[in-house]
């Protein structure tokens, strides 16, 4: 359902065009003109029709203040103004949360209730998500800056879909009987791993919540989840609904706070049995080291990417332009799997550049609560400045700035949709994960060349291929070293499709059946048979 929703939004996106006329915000020649109507939309932000009712830590089923009494502001990316002050958890709060999760696992009903009953609770939660779709979407958009339509039509429905998917797995987790030499009966048991520590990012707060919490709970574990400090609000609201659905106290605990304090305390905690992290590769290395230095807890990591999107010479150029645009600019470019290296065959390169530039200039940027908006603000000032720095680097290194290149408007963290042509593989914009609305377009001659260049990266999260030739698709599918390869599509995220990366894009897989193994221990049970039937 969710993947079809994305497809519908993509098919509509070509109609999201701005009014004629505009003002220039570019850095130089050829960067185009943007709609004044979108810029004007930034002057008076819409007030979201939702209240912030949950801004404390969730520990043992109760919303409580941080032990230190500290709070931190969560900001509206549209303006930089404070939405709410949220309890700031640190090591002491992590200790309290882990203690509650440990007691809930060792003594509580969750791991001991029937799998069917666990499934029913998760299904009730999915129903409540649908009931509160608009509130969840409003909090997600307000705290993150993503278009409300995207949150309401794609991400919250996908949240419900994911929990229904994992609810379905709850009573289908079982072991095997194993043949062995000699008079023995051998069976394997798949048991919950225990207390799972989970750290989620800010770009898709609700979806990452589902990717982590869903499989952990389906397998019978208890959890301590740390939200990103930029986007704590929607996870707290969702967790309240999960308890309303019947989740026992202590099974899910939510800590809002910063990485060096709360995140580090969770990663290095001696009573956490498993750790899952989604975020940057640099932070992932730290998380892995902390886990190893503590109790050697197993770790799954979903990290950065610099995904190639390959446009072959037989491609329908208009469709390829739209798909490549979506692959990069979706969610303000703040996607770990964004198609951020667009490789275009030399025979269609010039045509592609002109149309990609025109498409970027039509992209509607503005208040994410306004209808028809395709792109909202970046998450915060740090990310905003980082992206602008990369854009300046692209200009300085000799890439051709075709569109964009500057901030959009004068308030908030909006950036013009930016397109570079004549990008070389050794440029910083070609190597680093920008995590913003910056499309880099490269030229290639043949498949052998583009395979080598596409794989010449420290990342391996995803890749896209646009071709009408099945042989070309098969060659590239097998040659590209990436955890996901999309053929004539991009960002298809069905609940059953596994997601994860090669190389420095991570360890392990999330979603689908493969995610369950992250939260299970396999126990072999060997029983001696005194009088086996065959003797």
């Amino acid at each position: 359902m969710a993947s079809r929703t994305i497809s519908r939004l993509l098919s509509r996106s070509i109609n999201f065009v701005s009014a004629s006329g505009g003002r220039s915000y570019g850095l130089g020649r050829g960067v185009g003109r943007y709609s004044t109507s979108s810029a004007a939309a930034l002057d008076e932000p819409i007030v979201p029709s939702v209240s912030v009712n949950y801004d404390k830590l969730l520990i043992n089923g109760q919303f409580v203040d941080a032990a230190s009494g500290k709070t931190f502001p969560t900001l509206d990316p549209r303006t930089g103004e404070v939405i709410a002050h949220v309890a700031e958890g640190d090591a002491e709060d992590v200790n309290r949360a882990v203690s509650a999760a440990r007691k809930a696992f060792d003594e509580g009903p969750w791991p001991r209730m029937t799998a069917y009953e666990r499934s029913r609770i998760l299904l009730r939660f999915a129903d409540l998500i649908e009931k509160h779709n608009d509130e969840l979407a409003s909090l997600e958009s307000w705290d993150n800056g993503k278009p409300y339509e995207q949150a309401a039509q794609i991400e919250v429905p996908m949240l419900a879909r994911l929990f229904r998917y994992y609810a379905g797995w709850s009573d289908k987790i079982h072991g095997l009987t194993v043949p062995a030499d000699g008079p023995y009966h051998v069976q394997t048991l798949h048991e919950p791993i225990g207390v799972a520590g989970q750290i989620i990012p800010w770009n898709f707060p609700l979806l990452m919540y589902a990717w982590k919490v869903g499989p952990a709970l389906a397998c019978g574990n208890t959890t301590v989840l740390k939200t990103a400090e930029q986007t704590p609000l929607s996870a707290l609201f969702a967790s309240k609904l999960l308890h309303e659905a019947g989740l026992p106290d202590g099974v899910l605990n939510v800590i809002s706070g910063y990485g060096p304090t709360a995140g580090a305390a969770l990663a290095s905690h001696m009573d956490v049995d498993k750790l899952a992290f989604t975020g940057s590769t640099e932070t992932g290395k730290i998380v892995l080291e902390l886990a190893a230095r503590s109790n050697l807890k197993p770790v799954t990591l979903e990290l950065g990417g610099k995904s190639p999107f390959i446009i072959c010479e037989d491609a329908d150029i208009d469709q390829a332009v739209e798909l490549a645009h979506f692959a990069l600019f979706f969610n303000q470019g703040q996607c770990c799997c964004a198609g951020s290296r667009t490789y275009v065959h030399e025979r269609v390169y010039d045509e592609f550049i002109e149309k990609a530039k025109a498409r970027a200039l039509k992209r509607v940027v503005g208040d994410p609560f306004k209808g028809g908006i395709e792109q909202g603000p970046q998450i915060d000032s740090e990310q905003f400045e980082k992206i602008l720095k990369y854009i300046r680097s692209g200009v300085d290194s000799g890439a051709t700035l075709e569109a964009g290149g500057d901030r959009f408007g004068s308030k908030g963290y909006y950036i013009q949709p930016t397109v570079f042509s004549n990008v070389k593989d050794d440029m910083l914009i070609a190597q680093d994960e920008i995590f913003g609305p910056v499309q880099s377009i490269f030229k290639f001659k043949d498949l052998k060349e583009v395979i080598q260049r596409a794989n010449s990266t420290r990342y391996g999260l995803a890749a896209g291929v646009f071709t009408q030739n099945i042989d070309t698709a098969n060659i590239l599918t097998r040659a590209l070293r990436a955890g996901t390869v999309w053929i004539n599509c991009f960002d298809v995220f069905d609940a059953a499709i596994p997601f994860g990366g090669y190389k420095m894009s991570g360890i392990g897989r999330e979603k689908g059946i493969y995610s369950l193994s992250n939260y299970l221990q396999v126990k072999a049970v060997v029983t001696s048979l005194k009088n086996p039937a065959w003797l």
Side-chain angles (χ1 to χ4, degrees):
M1 178 182 70
S3 59
R4 291 196 298 272
T5 306
I6 291 178
S7 298
R8 287 197 298 271
L9 193 64
L10 173 58
S11 68
R12 286 179 15 228
S13 63
I14 197 167
N15 297 317
F16 288 167
V17 296
S18 52
S20 59
R23 65 187 70 161
S24 173
Y25 291 93
L27 293 176
R29 283 174 44 192
V31 298
R33 298 169 67 81
Y34 288 84
S35 164
T36 54
S37 62
S38 291
L42 308 183
D43 296 334
E44 296 181 5
I46 292 174
V47 178
S49 57
V50 64
S51 300
V52 178
N53 296 319
Y54 306 104
D55 55 10
K56 298 184 178 183
L57 311 178
L58 177 60
I59 298 177
N60 201 28
Q62 302 296 317
F63 285 99
V64 297
D65 292 322
S68 66
K70 292 182 180 178
T71 62
F72 67 93
T74 185
L75 305 180
D76 183 345
R78 302 175 302 165
T79 62
E81 297 172 356
V82 175
I83 299 173
H85 288 87
V86 180
E88 181 184 335
D90 57 21
E92 185 173 350
D93 301 296
V94 169
N95 286 337
R96 289 195 292 162
V98 172
S99 177
R102 173 58 59 196
K103 184 174 182 180
F105 184 77
D106 290 345
E107 304 175 19
W110 187 250
R112 293 161 187 82
M113 69 173 56
T114 67
Y116 175 63
E117 182 56 30
R118 286 202 301 270
S119 174
R120 292 181 65 193
I121 290 172
L122 296 181
L123 289 172
R124 286 197 292 269
F125 176 46
D127 291 341
L128 288 170
I129 291 170
E130 291 183 338
K131 180 180 178 181
H132 294 275
N133 183 95
D134 294 350
E135 294 158 277
L136 284 164
S138 293
L139 286 173
E140 190 82 337
S141 182
W142 195 10
D143 213 13
N144 174 274
K146 65 180 68 216
Y148 173 80
E149 289 180 345
Q150 175 185 320
Q153 298 174 21
I154 298 176
E155 296 181 21
V156 178
M158 191 181 289
L159 174 69
R161 173 69 179 90
L162 283 159
F163 272 96
R164 285 204 173 93
Y165 175 82
Y166 285 113
W169 269 115
S170 294
D171 58 359
K172 299 170 186 67
I173 297 169
H174 52 76
L176 303 169
T177 57
V178 182
D181 293 339
Y184 304 103
H185 172 76
V186 183
Q187 66 185 101
T188 60
L189 303 178
H190 291 183
E191 299 180 339
I193 201 166
V195 176
Q198 303 176 318
I199 302 173
I200 60 174
W202 47 258
N203 57 336
F204 293 97
L206 284 174
L207 293 184
M208 296 302 100
Y209 177 96
W211 287 20
K212 297 289 189 293
V213 174
L217 296 188
C219 293
N221 298 281
T222 60
T223 68
V224 178
L225 178 83
K226 192 199 89 68
T227 58
E229 59 269 25
Q230 297 90 341
T231 53
L233 299 180
S234 57
L236 291 168
F237 187 94
S239 297
K240 171 63 175 176
L241 297 180
L242 186 46
H243 281 81
E244 186 178 328
L247 189 75
D249 292 347
V251 174
L252 171 63
N253 305 272
V254 181
I255 301 294
S256 305
Y258 293 95
T261 50
L266 186 59
S268 58
H269 204 288
M270 292 295 292
D271 208 21
V272 170
D273 299 305
K274 184 267 179 302
L275 192 67
F277 170 82
T278 295
S280 71
T281 296
E282 292 70 23
T283 306
K285 291 179 181 180
I286 297 171
V287 167
L288 189 60
E289 182 179 1
L290 291 172
R293 285 184 173 182
S294 52
N295 59 344
L296 205 62
K297 60 179 73 66
V299 180
T300 51
L301 301 171
E302 196 266 282
L303 306 176
K306 194 68 177 175
S307 301
F309 189 92
I310 300 170
I311 310 296
C312 298
E313 61 181 310
D314 64 347
D316 180 309
I317 295 302
D318 290 333
Q319 291 181 13
V321 165
E322 188 63 32
L323 195 61
H325 180 88
F326 174 75
L328 185 282
F329 290 103
F330 178 65
N331 205 54
Q332 293 70 253
Q334 297 172 154
C335 296
C336 54
C337 60
S340 52
R341 291 184 294 149
T342 306
Y343 288 95
V344 182
H345 193 277
E346 60 182 5
R347 292 182 184 173
V348 295
Y349 185 82
D350 291 340
E351 180 184 2
F352 186 93
I353 292 295
E354 287 305 311
K355 291 183 174 180
K357 171 182 175 179
R359 179 63 182 92
L361 293 173
K362 290 180 180 179
R363 187 169 184 82
V364 182
V365 183
D367 188 328
F369 284 97
K370 289 184 177 292
I373 292 298
E374 293 180 278
Q375 182 177 315
Q378 309 307 131
I379 184 66
D380 59 15
S381 60
E382 180 180 354
Q383 187 67 17
F384 175 81
E385 294 296 341
K386 173 188 170 185
I387 295 166
L388 291 177
K389 182 178 179 181
Y390 275 115
I391 292 172
R392 290 192 291 271
S393 168
V395 173
D396 293 342
S397 63
T400 303
L401 183 63
E402 300 284 353
D406 207 344
R407 74 175 301 152
F408 192 94
S410 59
K411 181 189 293 185
Y413 309 128
Y414 296 86
I415 291 180
Q416 295 174 352
T418 298
V419 176
F420 280 106
S421 64
N422 298 314
V423 181
K424 306 302 180 185
D425 293 334
D426 61 350
M427 294 178 179
L428 205 60
I429 60 172
Q431 296 182 354
D432 287 4
E433 184 179 35
I434 299 174
F435 227 59
V438 181
Q439 185 178 32
S440 298
I441 306 177
F442 308 71
K443 184 187 295 184
F444 76 92
K445 293 183 179 181
D446 55 48
L447 290 186
K448 182 178 179 180
E449 174 201 338
V450 78
I451 289 168
Q452 187 277 326
R453 293 171 65 190
N455 286 335
S456 183
T457 173
R458 59 189 178 273
Y459 298 113
L461 190 56
V465 174
F466 204 89
T467 180
Q468 299 180 49
N469 188 309
I470 188 63
D471 293 327
T472 299
N474 282 333
I475 289 169
L476 290 171
T477 296
R478 287 159 175 76
L480 294 170
R481 294 188 54 76
T484 301
V485 179
W486 285 294
I487 306 295
N488 297 331
C489 61
F490 209 87
D491 279 348
V492 178
F493 287 110
D494 189 89
I497 300 175
F499 186 79
Y502 287 28
K503 298 186 278 187
M504 293 178 71
S505 285
I507 300 171
R509 294 293 181 269
E510 299 198 90
K511 297 195 293 109
I513 189 173
Y514 297 93
S515 64
L516 301 175
S517 61
N518 299 332
Y519 297 97
L520 293 169
Q521 289 280 23
V522 178
K523 178 185 290 182
V525 180
V526 182
T527 303
S528 175
L529 298 176
K530 252 185 181 180
N531 298 299
W534 62 86
L535 293 182

